[in-house]
Amino acid sequence: MSRHHLKPTLNIKENGYLLDGLSCFKRTFKRAMSFHYPEGLAAVCDETGAYHITIDGTPLYPERYEETFGYYRGIAAVRDKSGFFHINTRGEPLHKQRYLWSGNFQEDRCVVQDDKGFFHIDYSFAPLYEERFDYAGDFRYGIAVARRGSCAFHILDNGQRLYGHTFENTDVFHKGFAVTWDAEGAFHVDKQGKAIHGHRFKSAEPFYNGFALCETHDDRWVRLMENGHFKHLPVRSTTVRFHEILDRIQRGEKAALVLRHAEREPIPPGVWGEDAGLNRNGQLMAGTLGRLLGKTACDWTFVSSTVERCVDTCLCLAKGMGAMINQSQVSTTSLLGSPGPFKDISADQSHLTPDNFMDAGFPYIHTGLGKGFRPLADGCRDMMDLATQSMQDGPAVLITHDFFIAGLFDHLGLLRPSPENWVDFLDGVCFFSNGSKLTEWRRFQGLKEIGTC
């Protein structure tokens, strides 16, 4: 493209313009705004006042204002000592009204403010409705945000509310949904004003091609799907090594390992295999891991699935640490075993069999929802809460099953599980806590680190 056909662009300081990367018009301004097309006009301000310039930098008219704003559909808002009003592309006033404030024309409507409040006008500069609000925003997809007192809601261009209830705050609709706030935090609503998921976030962005970036109340960034499932953004380092865990525990940090049990006996097709115990190699594996973790010289807490091979993994870990505990000293919970954190015990699960379980399991892990399952994020939150509680008095080991670890991996952004990279024995997640909440999580593959499995 030749230089003749290039259009001026605003510089990074927003006080001048560039053409093909070089300064143009041989000057800068106190303030400059982007050129708006097709008008080819830009709002600027210098020592003489505020006005508009053409694409070659020439003032559009001789008048000077206190403020000028961009052209939209051939109309620009300006302000002089009498107030806000609108001008055409010749710089001529379009009406005699003066407002306390004016926005810009969007979707053939413009929000303005008079001494009674905010409302919208059309190209005839007549009010679209009699109502006055404490705040009103631009229309987008035929819907605008409005406020009355401490209540926020959406309105149509006749001033009527889109739905009957209110929120603490709300934003414009984008891709069919709006970010909205109540006393518990930010979430998304549809055009009936109904929440599309049950989460509440510290902050939330609009959906973009099916995903929205949100920040949880514990300062974690997540990628939210429209179905309500979210995944934590990947951590900088996804794995943790033995020496780091031991060093941080020795420095007084709280840590918990949530792991799959050690190697078990084979499970025949067609059965769930809850009776399958550890094999000899599994006992040795757990003992080896116990010896390594025992270097902390701390008293570890053991929490287990109710399934026997998980309890036995805890006993072998403790033996390797040099702590001769018995089965009664292992705390067991169905949250880590049967039914576990993900099954919806109130729902029909007759369609789930040992042979087809993973056909439904993989889509569930990746999308967060599935027939017969709880929302994945809810189950992961329960496991994370259990880990936080378990490490209150010292480091903890929680022993569970591969499917639950896979759910944690996906939810926490540590790994997208597949048949090719499935959870191995004694793989899991290492959590660190400040005592009240989790501060970090990393993938743990301790025995692979030392070449034991």
Side-chain angles (χ1 to χ4, degrees), residues 22-274:
L22 301 175
S23 180
C24 58
F25 307 152
K26 297 181 180 180
R27 64 165 303 181
T28 58
F29 301 88
K30 288 184 177 179
R31 186 195 67 178
M33 296 184 183
S34 297
F35 277 92
H36 285 192
Y37 298 97
E39 298 88 358
L41 302 172
V44 297
C45 180
D46 61 18
E47 62 280 354
T48 67
Y51 56 102
H52 290 88
I53 60 173
T54 64
I55 198 168
D56 61 3
T58 303
L60 179 65
Y61 44 74
E63 290 82 10
R64 294 296 183 266
Y65 299 100
E66 295 190 3
E67 287 186 284
T68 55
F69 302 91
Y71 274 91
Y72 294 83
R73 298 288 297 273
I75 299 174
V78 300
R79 180 177 69 86
D80 64 14
K81 292 182 179 179
S82 66
F84 282 81
F85 59 101
H86 300 90
I87 62 174
N88 61 21
T89 53
R90 295 185 298 276
E92 300 167 339
L94 288 167
H95 54 79
K96 295 182 179 180
Q97 296 99 316
R98 293 297 182 266
Y99 303 105
L100 295 178
W101 177 84
S102 173
N104 301 310
F105 273 88
Q106 302 286 347
E107 295 189 357
D108 302 329
R109 310 165 182 90
C110 180
V111 59
V112 294
Q113 180 189 13
D114 64 14
D115 57 1
K116 295 181 180 179
F118 289 78
F119 60 101
H120 291 87
I121 59 175
D122 58 17
Y123 287 128
S124 72
F125 304 101
L128 288 170
Y129 46 80
E130 295 298 322
E131 187 78 23
R132 296 295 183 268
F133 299 100
D134 295 327
Y135 166 83
D138 288 336
F139 275 95
R140 189 165 187 173
Y141 306 113
I143 302 169
V145 174
R147 294 191 67 90
R148 185 171 298 287
S150 61
C151 299
F153 44 90
H154 291 94
I155 61 170
L156 301 169
D157 62 4
N158 60 4
Q160 297 298 307
R161 297 190 183 188
L162 184 62
Y163 43 77
H165 47 281
T166 62
F167 303 99
E168 286 194 356
N169 195 18
T170 191
D171 205 344
V172 297
F173 276 93
H174 179 74
K175 306 286 187 181
F177 306 112
V179 179
T180 302
W181 289 260
D182 63 14
E184 296 178 357
F187 58 106
H188 298 81
V189 299
D190 61 19
K191 290 182 180 178
Q192 286 72 51
K194 296 180 180 179
I196 66 170
H197 56 76
H199 308 298
R200 294 298 183 269
F201 297 101
K202 185 176 181 179
S203 67
E205 292 187 356
F207 281 99
Y208 176 71
N209 289 358
F211 290 95
L213 182 66
C214 303
E215 185 182 12
T216 65
H217 286 293
D218 59 355
D219 303 321
R220 302 282 181 175
W221 291 99
V222 300
R223 197 176 186 220
L224 177 72
M225 300 179 186
E226 289 181 5
N227 66 9
H229 178 51
F230 66 82
K231 300 181 183 183
H232 290 262
L233 296 190
V235 296
R236 181 178 299 175
S237 175
T238 59
T239 59
V240 63
R241 301 177 72 86
F242 268 112
H243 70 84
E244 182 179 348
I245 298 173
L246 302 182
D247 288 347
R248 293 175 70 164
I249 291 174
Q250 296 287 22
R251 294 198 303 266
E253 288 193 57
K254 297 182 182 297
L257 288 165
V258 183
L259 308 176
R260 184 187 180 187
H261 55 75
E263 186 175 327
R264 55 161 170 74
E265 298 289 350
I267 297 176
V271 297
W272 290 106
E274 291 192 3

Side-chain angles (χ1 to χ4, degrees), residues 179-428:
V179 179
T180 302
W181 289 260
D182 63 14
E184 296 178 357
F187 58 106
H188 298 81
V189 299
D190 61 19
K191 290 182 180 178
Q192 286 72 51
K194 296 180 180 179
I196 66 170
H197 56 76
H199 308 298
R200 294 298 183 269
F201 297 101
K202 185 176 181 179
S203 67
E205 292 187 356
F207 281 99
Y208 176 71
N209 289 358
F211 290 95
L213 182 66
C214 303
E215 185 182 12
T216 65
H217 286 293
D218 59 355
D219 303 321
R220 302 282 181 175
W221 291 99
V222 300
R223 197 176 186 220
L224 177 72
M225 300 179 186
E226 289 181 5
N227 66 9
H229 178 51
F230 66 82
K231 300 181 183 183
H232 290 262
L233 296 190
V235 296
R236 181 178 299 175
S237 175
T238 59
T239 59
V240 63
R241 301 177 72 86
F242 268 112
H243 70 84
E244 182 179 348
I245 298 173
L246 302 182
D247 288 347
R248 293 175 70 164
I249 291 174
Q250 296 287 22
R251 294 198 303 266
E253 288 193 57
K254 297 182 182 297
L257 288 165
V258 183
L259 308 176
R260 184 187 180 187
H261 55 75
E263 186 175 327
R264 55 161 170 74
E265 298 289 350
I267 297 176
V271 297
W272 290 106
E274 291 192 3
D275 296 332
L278 296 185
N279 61 22
R280 178 58 180 163
N281 190 48
Q283 296 170 0
L284 294 173
M285 289 168 58
T288 299
L289 179 59
R291 284 193 294 277
L292 293 167
L293 296 176
K295 294 179 181 180
T296 57
C298 296
D299 291 330
W300 286 72
T301 296
F302 296 93
V303 185
S304 172
S305 159
T306 53
V307 176
E308 184 177 351
R309 59 180 172 271
C310 295
V311 176
D312 287 345
T313 299
C314 287
L315 296 175
C316 292
L317 282 166
K319 184 177 180 181
M321 293 177 182
M324 301 302 294
I325 65 173
N326 57 47
Q327 188 166 333
S328 65
Q329 293 170 285
V330 177
S331 176
T332 58
T333 171
S334 59
L335 177 64
L336 296 178
S338 181
F342 298 144
K343 281 188 177 181
D344 182 356
I345 58 175
S346 65
D348 177 22
Q349 296 172 355
S350 59
H351 62 290
L352 298 175
T353 69
D355 294 329
N356 71 12
F357 182 80
M358 292 310 298
D359 292 335
F362 277 114
Y364 166 69
I365 288 174
H366 297 154
T367 66
L369 295 176
K371 182 181 177 182
F373 294 101
R374 301 173 64 204
L376 183 83
D378 291 350
C380 289
R381 183 196 61 238
D382 290 346
M383 284 193 287
M384 293 161 72
D385 287 346
L386 179 62
T388 304
Q389 298 163 11
S390 300
M391 66 176 103
Q392 290 299 311
D393 298 325
V397 175
L398 292 78
I399 302 298
T400 183
H401 304 270
D402 52 351
F403 187 70
F404 309 148
I405 297 296
L408 278 175
F409 279 167
D410 197 83
H411 178 67
L412 297 175
L414 297 172
L415 179 74
R416 181 178 173 86
S418 70
E420 292 73 32
N421 63 6
W422 192 241
V423 181
D424 208 342
F425 300 112
L426 292 177
D427 280 0

